[in-house]
Amino acid sequence: MKIKLMLLLLLMVNGIFAQDTIMPLWPKDKIPNHVKSSEREIHEQNEILRISKVQVPTIEVYLPSKRDATGEAVLIFPGGGYGILAYDWEGTDIAKFLNSKGIAGIVLKYRLPSDVSQTDKKFVPLIDAQRAVKLVRSKAEQFNVKTNKIGIIGFSAGGHLASTLGTHFDEKVYKDVDDIDEESARPDFMALGYPVISFGPHTHSGSKTNLIGEEAPSELSDYFSNEKQVTKLTPPTFLLHATDDTVVPVENSLLFYKAVKNKGVSATMHIYPKGGHGFGLGLHDEHLKDWGEGMIDWIISLR
């Protein structure tokens, strides 16, 4: 009986600590642009964990041991066309890889545009992304990271969100809700994996439609065409893409690389001849499997 009680207590303690790794982005009942509705979050597991209809955005924090910690943190934005989040494939798997290199990996479960549970849905993912950087910065001591070493990585539509944050980090898209919002939302560095960048001719139509609609005016398309929004303050950028990507054309990365280069922003780009779209860590591909190591080398070069 004592053994059973001890095992039960151990499971309860482990559960408590596991829950401590997940933090809400916003205070209760203060989520910007949120409307109470019957919409509910959906989790579907079929090889990849797909999350949709996010109502309460969170960060899930993966920390390396203090002995291994480099002081860097990377916020991770999973892709999914602004319709779902490929939460493990382009989220928690990336966080665990970063942990193996001494880097804190923090997965953002951001809200996806919704006509049911949101007002002005086109800004909602950016609102959550800005808040996530501010939240991590405010928790830097708790997470054992440095406030000037907080980067982001996004994949596919998550890459669009990351590049939107990297070019619109200083824009007021929501009213401050607490002291956390006094922190800077600027990432210190930015990695973009097969990203949607442009809402022009080379766009991914699903991501564009989900975020701003099919009949969006040209001014709005330009606002979210992030190659047109680069400034000298855009963070140093790492780009990753495959030439044979038929979902998000490689021109997206090429356009962004040219834009940051023209503004004098430090950038590096890895273009592979094959790999398609959505390859994640690419561990089963001899040509792609080392891209993560290349990114780590790039992060080290920024120190």
Side-chain angles (χ1 to χ4, degrees), residues 3 10 28 39 77 81-82 101 111 122 124 134 147 149 183 188 244 279 281-282 286 296:
I3 294 175
L10 182 62
K28 189 176 180 181
E39 196 170 63
F77 304 159
Y82 284 124
K101 306 299 180 181
R111 287 174 292 163
K122 61 183 177 292
V124 167
K134 294 177 180 181
T147 56
K149 292 186 178 293
E183 300 282 353
D188 295 299
D244 66 348
F279 48 77
L281 285 169
E286 284 298 315
I296 297 301

Side-chain angles (χ1 to χ4, degrees), residues 122-136:
K122 61 183 177 292
F123 287 114
V124 167
L126 176 59
I127 287 170
D128 286 351
Q130 285 190 0
R131 174 70 176 192
V133 174
K134 294 177 180 181
L135 178 59
V136 173

